[in-house]
Amino acid sequence: MSWTRRTLIGLVVCALLPLGAQGCGTGEAHGGAGAVSPSPVGKVLDDTDGTGRHLREVGKKDAPEVGVEVTPDTGGGWDVRLTLRHFRFSPAGARRKAVPGHGLANLFVDGRPVTRLRAPEYHLPPRLVPHGTHHVTARLYADDGTVWAVHGKPVESTADITASGAETAGR
């Protein structure tokens, strides 16, 4: 009769684990590269950002925040500086799991992806910002690839810049 006791204990343990996240589920959560991690962090929405990544809705109180400032560099190009609140960059190779307030930022110019950031500063080469007005956007992502979101909108910030051509005159 000890096998029934072990079975009963196993069922109780699985029932007590939060949402089966510790391995009593079907294994779907451990899927391939495109799988979104199950996590008690926020709620993954059906909505996606412009790159097709699902939004991870979190409450406004402790949600990550980002600001972006772009200034011309005297040597050419533009210096991008992010200001962050309730957010820390994860190191390269971090586990593909959503952790509150951790992840990376993607930088976009006029909606085109430029780079992934794991630090708050980046030098934007002048070739990516030709003459005219442009929108530089920083968007925050969790380590599992989902986009941090509040009220169904990605956590991001955009700075408008105007390149006159003088930024590249010394090059």
Side-chain angles (χ1 to χ4, degrees), residues 81-97:
R81 175 132 179 95
L82 305 183
T83 53
L84 303 163
R85 188 163 180 231
H86 302 297
F87 186 82
R88 293 181 61 184
F89 286 106
S90 299
R95 203 167 153 207
R96 289 188 52 85
K97 178 181 178 185

Side-chain angles (χ1 to χ4, degrees), residues 55-121:
L55 303 181
R56 181 176 292 277
E57 180 78 26
V58 291
K60 182 157 179 62
K61 181 182 175 195
D62 295 319
E65 296 176 26
V66 62
V68 62
E69 180 182 350
V70 184
T71 56
D73 184 318
T74 56
W78 300 82
D79 289 327
V80 178
R81 175 132 179 95
L82 305 183
T83 53
L84 303 163
R85 188 163 180 231
H86 302 297
F87 186 82
R88 293 181 61 184
F89 286 106
S90 299
R95 203 167 153 207
R96 289 188 52 85
K97 178 181 178 185
V99 175
H102 285 75
L104 58 99
N106 280 354
L107 192 65
F108 301 87
V109 173
D110 297 331
R112 294 184 323 269
V114 171
T115 191
R116 288 183 179 169
L117 299 175
R118 293 195 181 272
E121 297 176 350

Side-chain angles (χ1 to χ4, degrees), residues 19-30:
L19 302 175
Q22 298 297 323
C24 293
T26 63
E28 291 177 44
H30 304 288

Side-chain angles (χ1 to χ4, degrees), residues 86-158:
H86 302 297
F87 186 82
R88 293 181 61 184
F89 286 106
S90 299
R95 203 167 153 207
R96 289 188 52 85
K97 178 181 178 185
V99 175
H102 285 75
L104 58 99
N106 280 354
L107 192 65
F108 301 87
V109 173
D110 297 331
R112 294 184 323 269
V114 171
T115 191
R116 288 183 179 169
L117 299 175
R118 293 195 181 272
E121 297 176 350
Y122 180 75
H123 180 75
L124 194 58
R127 65 181 166 75
L128 296 176
V129 188
H131 182 76
T133 299
H134 302 279
H135 310 289
V136 178
T137 302
R139 184 177 302 145
L140 299 181
Y141 291 79
D143 289 316
D144 67 351
T146 56
V147 182
W148 291 113
V150 175
H151 300 300
K153 305 241 186 270
V155 174
E156 65 183 20
S157 181
T158 300

